[in-house]
Amino acid sequence: MADWIPAKVITNRHWNCDLFSLVLHANIEPFKAGQFTKLGLEIDGKMVQRAYSFVNPPSDNNIEIYATRVADGLLSPRLHALDSGDTVFISARANGYFTLNEVPDSEHLWLLATGTAIGPYLSILREADVWRRFRKVVLIHAVRYAADLSYQAEINELKARYPEQLIVQPFVSREPAPLSLPGRIPLAIADGMLERHIGLPLSPEKSQIMLCGNPEMVRETKAVLESMGFTKNLRRKPGQITMEHYW
């Protein structure tokens, strides 16, 4: 059972008709960038809950969650409808191992996400550790439509702060979009398009890769990377692939 405490809604930012970000205030325990919490609401006498990653860095006083409204879902439509001053329940303790301290040192760090799974990367990128440890950081964000590319102001701020280190490459699969690559991440890796476009090699000797999002993307990308000599990162046997399924 989650250790539930009340969280006050500060803002609810709607990026489009389905994507939204809740900024909350609650006295939760300290967490690590990349971890997740749980939000819950009592519905028909039962606590309905779901896990969501922190978007904010641990140093931020407020909590930020990035989510999508599922039309027939029990919880997400109600979270989508919350307004400033409303209350939602949050787990006081964070969970998860999709954190930078679980990733071995390397020259390049590749952060690959689909949809709202960019959230934990935004938390990681707003901490100092990643910039000390890696010479280049590549953020790949794959969505269906250009309107789904949220947090552009925050990403541009990071690009301005770390212009020699951060490379950002969006993918938009269902329509042409400026500065975006078409198609899907696994295919772009398999045919070498991503490496050519970014201008960095994907090699086990120089690269650590974090995968987060759609389980199909994570599974297929892992298989492609393994065919290139990458291995899953385990505590007892360090590799180059660190993964998180987002549902």
Side-chain angles (χ1 to χ4, degrees):
M1 292 291 291
D3 183 14
W4 296 115
I5 60 172
K8 181 180 179 181
V9 177
I10 306 301
T11 61
N12 187 350
R13 181 176 184 179
H14 289 191
W15 300 96
N16 56 33
C17 61
D18 290 319
L19 293 171
F20 65 101
S21 294
L22 285 171
V23 176
L24 310 168
H25 184 74
N27 294 318
I28 62 170
E29 296 180 11
F31 69 93
K32 295 178 182 177
Q35 288 191 303
F36 65 88
T37 186
K38 292 181 180 179
L39 297 185
L41 288 172
E42 191 170 316
I43 301 171
D44 297 330
K46 296 181 179 179
M47 183 66 77
V48 178
Q49 59 180 282
R50 189 182 169 193
Y52 294 97
S53 293
F54 293 98
V55 176
N56 58 292
S59 56
D60 199 324
N61 290 328
N62 288 327
I63 300 156
E64 186 164 356
I65 302 298
Y66 183 36
T68 186
R69 175 178 59 176
V70 178
D72 58 351
L74 278 177
L75 182 61
S76 63
R78 289 172 169 82
L79 296 179
H80 183 268
L82 291 173
D83 205 349
S84 300
D86 289 340
T87 297
V88 62
F89 289 99
I90 189 169
S91 174
R93 297 174 184 172
N95 289 284
Y97 298 98
F98 194 68
T99 57
L100 209 59
N101 63 295
E102 299 287 340
V103 178
D105 288 331
S106 188
E107 190 169 343
H108 305 149
L109 177 65
W110 296 70
L111 308 175
L112 279 57
T114 58
T116 56
I118 195 175
Y121 295 148
L122 293 173
S123 182
I124 289 169
L125 291 172
R126 287 186 275 188
E127 291 283 279
D129 191 34
V130 66
W131 308 108
R132 287 194 297 258
R133 289 184 53 195
F134 299 94
R135 188 175 68 84
K136 295 285 187 181
V137 179
V138 183
L139 177 62
I140 308 293
H141 186 203
V143 298
R144 294 175 298 172
Y145 300 101
D148 299 333
L149 292 169
S150 307
Y151 286 102
Q152 291 305 294
E154 289 81 357
I155 291 170
N156 287 336
E157 182 180 338
L158 287 165
K159 286 167 64 177
R161 189 179 302 174
Y162 306 101
E164 302 301 319
Q165 285 182 271
L166 180 60
I167 300 170
V168 178
Q169 182 56 61
F171 276 73
V172 177
S173 63
R174 297 194 181 180
E175 64 181 5
L179 306 178
S180 298
L181 291 176
R184 301 175 62 244
I185 290 173
L187 296 177
I189 294 175
D191 67 9
M193 180 180 71
L194 183 57
E195 288 177 89
R196 292 192 300 271
H197 190 81
I198 295 297
L200 286 180
L202 265 171
S203 67
E205 296 75 25
K206 290 189 174 184
S207 309
Q208 282 292 323
I209 303 170
M210 300 181 76
L211 305 176
C212 188
N214 184 321
E216 184 178 358
M217 183 279 288
V218 172
R219 183 174 58 252
E220 292 182 9
T221 302
K222 176 176 176 283
V224 171
L225 291 169
E226 287 176 336
S227 74
M228 298 167 61
F230 290 84
T231 60
K232 185 178 179 181
N233 180 38
L234 303 170
R235 283 184 173 178
R236 65 181 182 275
K237 188 177 180 182
Q240 302 86 23
I241 306 170
T242 303
M243 303 181 300
E244 179 101 311
H245 292 177
Y246 222 55
W247 60 79

